């Protein structure tokens, strides 16, 4: 049965949700088994070293770049129509939102995606932070935080189209993007083998994390090409997905129609749970004396507001948007890195746990 038959039998929304579920299962399982974590990579770099956690992150990120840029060259993805390129973008939103998200990521001991993975492993601290993150995202989209978010986003906006495409801005084009991705992946492989000798399973898992993002782009593009309805091409992003999941729990009547995000988040949790059970790592963990509840709650609020301002989290903007060389996505990733480093240094000076 081909894709056209699936769409005719089940409809666009169900097929999109199934695609999101497949991508979520792959990401959740591999991210849990590899301990893929942007926060850990940031901390290592802030300490002046590029260690084992950075190696895992860089290999996954570079695999994401290569997978997505290969899709573009083969005609399997048209990123110009995505939300990272086509609509008006915000430089101020990317920078300020990224700084806020990075600071919050240190305080909650994980980004949005990592919190989901930890939640499925029995970490109740992550559950609390993820719930507050979801509430803040919704409040930033259409609630009491929306006016502040809209004001800051409006400070420095740029037109959609070529002005948000780094490959067009620099003039290197799609072939240049593929070459950069191949160089990044080569360096990722070299650095991983040097840091993790004889750990091929970990390396393959890290690559699979990145390819999950490419799979999301490819599947939604394929569905958009076959559907008679308008279908948004997208890939993994946990900010909008967590807010949508929260709405579905609280009020199914007002929830958006089923689409990619509807399958993504629950499947990510299932995949992470499967990984924790397979590795015998599932363990209930609550707040201890050294775990400051205020830090987790404040960090979750900063991440929620920052993710909406920046248009995504470390995965949603950093990997999904960064893999198509969106200007605002790369600014967001750099700002997250800087905000996290500054927050980590403040924690070190104050003697707070990180």
């Amino acid at each position: 049965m081909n894709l056209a038959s699936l769409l005719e039998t089940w409809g666009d929304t169900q097929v999109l949700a199934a695609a999101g579920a497949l991508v979520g299962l792959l990401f959740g399982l591999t991210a849990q088994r590899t301990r893929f974590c942007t926060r850990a990579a940031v901390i290592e770099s802030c300490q002046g070293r590029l260690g084992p956690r950075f190696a895992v992150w860089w290999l996954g990120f570079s695999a994401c770049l290569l997978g997505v840029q290969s899709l573009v060259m083969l005609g399997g993805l048209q990123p110009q129509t995505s939300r990272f390129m086509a609509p008006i973008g915000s430089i101020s939103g990317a920078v300020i939102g990224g700084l806020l998200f990075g600071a919050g990521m240190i305080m909650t001991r994980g980004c949005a995606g990592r919190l989901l993975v930890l939640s499925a492993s029995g970490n109740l601290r992550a559950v609390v932070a993820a719930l507050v993150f979801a509430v803040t995202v919704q409040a930033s989209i259409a609630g009491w935080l929306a006016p502040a978010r809209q004001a800051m986003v409006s400070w420095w906006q740029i037109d959609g189209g070529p002005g948000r495409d780094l490959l067009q801005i620099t003039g290197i084009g799609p072939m240049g993007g593929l070459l950069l991705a191949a160089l990044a992946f080569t360096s990722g492989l070299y650095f991983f083998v040097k840091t993790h000798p004889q750990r091929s399973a970990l390396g393959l898992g890290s690559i699979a994390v990145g390819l999950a993002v490419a799979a999301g782009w490819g599947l939604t593009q394929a569905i958009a090409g076959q559907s008679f309805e308008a279908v948004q091409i997208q890939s993994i992003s946990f900010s909008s997905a967590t807010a949508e999941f929260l709405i579905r729990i609280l009020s199914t009547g007002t929830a958006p129609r089923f689409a990619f995000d509807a399958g993504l988040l629950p499947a990510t949790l299932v995949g992470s749970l499967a990984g924790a059970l397979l590795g015998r790592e599932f363990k209930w963990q609550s707040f201890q004396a050294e775990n400051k509840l205020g830090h987790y709650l404040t960090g979750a609020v900063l991440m929620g507001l920052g993710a909406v301002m920046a248009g995504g989290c470390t995965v949603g903007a950093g990997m999904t948007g960064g893999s198509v060389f969106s200007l605002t996505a790369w600014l967001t990733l750099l700002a997250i890195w800087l905000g996290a480093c500054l927050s980590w240094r403040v924690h070190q000076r104050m003697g707070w746990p990180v």
Side-chain angles (χ1 to χ4, degrees):
M1 181 177 289
N2 57 30
L3 181 56
S5 300
L6 287 174
L7 290 170
E8 183 178 351
T9 303
W10 298 102
D12 298 359
T13 57
Q14 300 298 327
V15 174
L16 279 168
L22 288 173
V23 172
L25 280 172
L26 175 61
F27 181 87
L29 177 62
T30 54
Q32 196 283 330
R33 296 308 302 142
T34 61
R35 292 179 173 81
F36 185 85
C37 181
T38 307
R39 174 184 176 274
V42 170
I43 289 178
E44 282 190 347
S45 67
C46 290
Q47 293 172 335
R49 64 190 183 94
L50 301 180
R53 303 301 296 276
F54 181 87
V56 169
W57 181 85
W58 180 241
L59 182 58
F61 181 77
S62 61
C64 171
L65 286 179
L66 183 58
V68 172
Q69 288 303 307
S70 297
L71 270 177
V72 173
M73 286 299 297
L74 293 172
L77 177 62
Q78 298 173 357
Q80 295 80 10
T81 62
S82 72
R83 69 178 180 89
F84 293 104
M85 298 287 194
I88 293 174
S90 173
I91 300 294
S92 56
V95 174
I96 299 173
L99 290 171
L100 292 176
F101 190 96
M105 179 175 71
I106 295 297
M107 300 177 78
T108 58
R109 303 178 70 85
C111 66
R114 183 61 179 166
L115 289 179
L116 290 175
V117 172
L118 292 174
S119 296
S121 303
N123 190 316
L124 299 179
R125 302 189 299 272
V127 172
V128 171
L131 287 173
V132 174
F133 172 79
V135 171
T136 306
V137 167
Q138 187 58 33
S140 302
I141 293 173
W144 63 278
L145 287 175
R149 185 261 306 172
Q150 292 167 348
M152 288 184 280
V153 165
S154 68
W155 290 345
W156 187 358
Q157 294 185 328
I158 56 172
D159 292 333
R164 295 185 68 184
D165 187 345
L166 280 172
L167 299 183
Q168 292 200 45
I169 293 172
T170 58
I172 64 174
M175 183 58 71
L178 181 61
L179 178 60
L180 285 176
L183 290 173
F185 183 66
T186 301
S187 70
L189 280 176
Y190 172 79
F191 185 55
F192 181 87
V193 171
K194 184 178 179 180
T195 312
H196 296 279
Q198 299 180 343
R199 296 198 66 184
S200 57
L202 179 62
L204 290 173
S206 303
I207 292 171
V209 172
L211 293 182
V213 175
W217 278 122
L219 287 171
T220 56
Q221 181 71 77
I223 294 169
Q226 294 285 338
S227 175
F228 292 104
E229 303 291 333
V231 173
Q232 180 185 23
I233 61 168
Q234 63 185 107
S235 190
I236 302 174
S237 181
F238 292 114
S239 51
S240 58
T242 51
E244 179 180 322
F245 191 64
L246 180 65
I247 294 174
R248 291 192 188 283
I249 293 175
L250 298 178
S251 177
T252 55
T254 59
R257 70 171 190 165
F258 264 63
F260 186 83
D261 284 346
L264 174 66
L265 191 140
T268 299
L269 291 171
V270 172
S272 302
L273 175 61
L277 293 175
L278 285 172
R280 298 182 180 180
E281 295 175 353
F282 184 90
K283 179 182 179 181
W284 294 113
Q285 299 178 62
S286 186
F287 287 92
Q288 305 295 330
E290 67 274 13
N291 303 128
K292 298 181 181 293
L293 176 61
H295 283 200
Y296 278 80
L297 299 184
T298 303
V301 170
L302 291 175
M303 282 205 305
L305 176 58
V308 179
M309 289 180 61
C313 55
T314 53
V315 178
M319 295 182 69
T320 297
S323 63
V324 296
F325 286 101
S326 164
L327 169 63
T328 49
W330 275 91
L331 287 175
T332 296
L333 181 60
L334 293 173
I336 288 174
W337 212 275
L338 176 59
C341 279
L342 292 173
S343 179
W344 177 79
R345 292 191 181 282
V346 170
H347 277 66
Q348 291 292 101
R349 286 184 176 274
M350 299 300 294
W352 297 335
V354 290

